[in-house]
Amino acid sequence: MPPLPRRFYERSPDIVAIELLGKELIAKVRSRVTAGIIVETEAYFGKGDPASRASKRKTPMNEIMWDRGGLAFIYMVHGNWLFNITADKPGVPGAVLIRAIEPTKGVETMKRRRHAKYTELTSGPGKLTQALGITNRHHGSDVTDPTNEIIVERGLKKKFQLCTSHRIGVRDDTKRELRFFVKDCPFVSK
DNA sequence: TCCAGGATGTTCT
DNA sequence: GAACATCCTGGAC
């Protein structure tokens, strides 16, 4: 199955965040394949979004948010790698944070990397990067490129109920609720 | 060069 | 539910 195309990502971050739910995130790191269905995301904009890394000026770390959509945007917070995908058109800053996935492939590999029980493998943004082996060496890589170590595919068409809430752990959130997750999913972070 | 702080996780009670 | 370990980044000096 081919990865989702660039035009999927080059739309408003809130739309991309909603439509990424139910898609499959696949990581091939050191010939080990791990994957999971995306069940929780958050949208980040640029100017006017005080919680966004792009609300202030460009730095070497965040300049990728102004680049094309569909690139891996990875940074460290509190000793954990967080995995985002850039969104919106070139020149317009935006990104979607992947907060949780439901494991589909490579569960044994995840357990070895995380030393945790099944429902704790990927139920948080720092946890899933550990489970999938994602680090800043993947920063800037293209998730629409079939040869990339990290790609996103159209997952199984499965019905679920969409819920929204305010974003987690941000100091100044916007009025709008920009966290999206699958209702009653045990892998959604709390 | 130093230091405060963060889109977190774990381990306590 | 609260404390703390963790470690990179950016700004201060």
Side-chain angles (χ1 to χ4, degrees), chain A residues 51-68:
Chain A
S52 173
R53 297 236 119 89
S55 65
K56 302 190 181 79
R57 68 172 167 281
K58 283 189 196 182
T59 68
M61 183 202 71
N62 69 12
E63 67 182 354
I64 195 172
M65 290 185 74
W66 279 263
D67 208 314
R68 297 175 295 170

Side-chain angles (χ1 to χ4, degrees), chain A residues 17-23 37-41 102 155-163 180-185 188:
Chain A
I18 291 169
E19 295 200 6
L20 273 174
L21 293 177
K23 303 296 187 287
I37 302 294
I38 298 170
V39 295
E40 182 180 358
T41 59
E102 177 174 344
L156 298 174
K157 278 272 161 63
K158 195 173 149 189
K159 282 195 178 170
F160 57 85
Q161 193 169 347
L162 174 70
C163 287
F180 309 100
F181 58 99
V182 174
K183 193 185 181 193
D184 296 329
C185 177
V188 169

Side-chain angles (χ1 to χ4, degrees), chain A residues 17-173:
Chain A
I18 291 169
E19 295 200 6
L20 273 174
L21 293 177
K23 303 296 187 287
E24 189 169 26
L25 175 65
I26 302 166
K28 272 176 103 167
V29 177
R30 290 200 298 274
S31 74
R32 299 249 177 228
V33 177
T34 49
I37 302 294
I38 298 170
V39 295
E40 182 180 358
T41 59
E42 285 180 3
Y44 287 85
F45 292 85
K47 219 175 176 204
D49 182 353
S52 173
R53 297 236 119 89
S55 65
K56 302 190 181 79
R57 68 172 167 281
K58 283 189 196 182
T59 68
M61 183 202 71
N62 69 12
E63 67 182 354
I64 195 172
M65 290 185 74
W66 279 263
D67 208 314
R68 297 175 295 170
L71 305 179
F73 171 33
I74 296 163
Y75 55 88
M76 168 76 65
V77 174
H78 290 71
N80 301 282
W81 293 113
L82 270 59
F83 174 67
N84 304 245
I85 301 175
T86 58
D88 226 319
K89 296 191 166 49
V92 183
V96 175
L97 169 66
I98 309 300
R99 285 193 59 87
I101 63 174
E102 177 174 344
T104 53
K105 294 196 187 90
V107 173
E108 289 310 310
T109 301
M110 295 186 192
K111 280 187 177 164
R112 203 165 49 250
R113 287 177 181 153
R114 290 264 310 133
H115 307 291
K117 62 177 182 178
Y118 185 52
T119 53
E120 294 294 320
L121 290 176
T122 55
S123 56
K127 297 179 191 176
L128 74 90
T129 54
Q130 263 187 47
L132 299 194
I134 295 173
T135 67
N136 66 337
R137 77 192 180 85
H138 300 105
H139 181 76
S141 67
D142 184 353
V143 302
T144 70
D145 178 355
T147 65
N148 195 33
E149 289 192 4
I150 304 170
I151 58 171
V152 182
E153 288 185 357
R154 199 169 296 279
L156 298 174
K157 278 272 161 63
K158 195 173 149 189
K159 282 195 178 170
F160 57 85
Q161 193 169 347
L162 174 70
C163 287
T164 66
S165 79
H166 283 288
R167 292 174 293 187
I168 292 184
V170 307
R171 190 182 285 269
D172 302 311
D173 204 355

